[in-house]
Amino acid sequence: MHKSARFFVEASQHHSTIIFVCGPLTFDVLWSYNTMNKERIQKVLLGLTGAFEMLAFIAVVMPRTWMEIAHEWLGLGQMPHGPVLMFLIRQASYTYGMHGISLWVLARDVKRFRPLIILNGAAYLLAAPVFCAIDYTAGMPLWWTMGDAVGCGVLGAALLWCSLRDLLR
């Protein structure tokens, strides 16, 4: 395991502590075996989603030949050529990666960043039907379309549910 991406777990009889370390960003998530409060749920969701989105940075520098192999492996056929496609892939990947970092920052202090977390929750919830329509009309496989739509919808709903008390004020 690379030293800049470590995962520690310290267990005791009453609680567990998980500490995520990735470069300069570190945050911990505490939870009881019996209950997880809504703030802790948000920390976990934001941290895991952020880590997943940061994987997109790989595509910013990935050789095109690797992209072509992945494209065929996913059952999408031969990858088209052209500068606009490479521009979109690399810029979208960079944007996803930076959004992942922002989610890690939000996870560090969910009380302080509550308005931004609500914005992200609404954005993910709205992204579900939008991504479904985009994926469907683009001819993406059903598993891809459902993964996008359900993943975004569930994450958005969970972030908003955890902020429900603040939304009703």
Side-chain angles (χ1 to χ4, degrees):
M1 180 182 305
H2 193 272
K3 66 181 179 180
S4 69
R6 298 183 309 244
F7 181 78
F8 296 95
V9 176
E10 172 197 296
S12 73
Q13 187 176 17
H14 301 291
H15 73 279
S16 289
T17 303
I18 295 182
I19 303 171
F20 296 93
V21 180
C22 186
L25 296 174
T26 303
F27 64 91
D28 59 77
V29 181
L30 301 173
W31 75 81
S32 162
Y33 285 132
N34 298 327
T35 61
M36 280 183 92
N37 71 28
K38 291 179 180 182
E39 287 179 9
R40 291 178 181 145
I41 292 170
Q42 282 186 324
K43 283 185 176 192
V44 170
L45 290 174
L46 291 166
L48 292 176
T49 304
F52 185 74
E53 286 188 10
M54 283 188 275
L55 293 174
F57 279 131
I58 296 168
V60 174
V61 296
M62 179 186 294
R64 181 181 167 87
T65 55
W66 294 8
M67 291 181 195
E68 291 171 348
I69 292 167
H71 198 270
E72 288 189 31
W73 182 78
L74 290 169
L76 301 174
Q78 186 176 7
M79 188 170 143
H81 290 276
V84 173
L85 176 65
M86 293 310 297
F87 159 82
L88 289 172
I89 289 172
R90 296 192 192 283
Q91 282 201 355
S93 296
Y94 177 81
T95 303
Y96 268 101
M98 288 305 297
H99 185 255
I101 290 173
S102 76
L103 294 179
W104 268 43
V105 172
L106 297 179
R108 290 186 57 104
D109 191 345
V110 296
K111 285 182 182 177
R112 177 179 173 201
F113 297 122
R114 178 75 60 223
L116 292 173
I117 293 170
I118 291 170
L119 174 65
N120 274 271
Y124 275 110
L125 195 59
L126 292 172
V130 171
F131 285 4
C132 185
I134 291 170
D135 292 354
Y136 178 76
T137 58
M140 297 302 289
L142 181 61
W143 62 267
W144 185 294
T145 303
M146 296 308 296
D148 264 358
V150 173
C152 286
V154 168
L155 178 62
L159 291 175
L160 291 174
W161 174 77
C162 289
S163 299
L164 189 60
R165 179 175 27 123
D166 294 321
L167 285 171
L168 297 176
R169 285 183 188 172

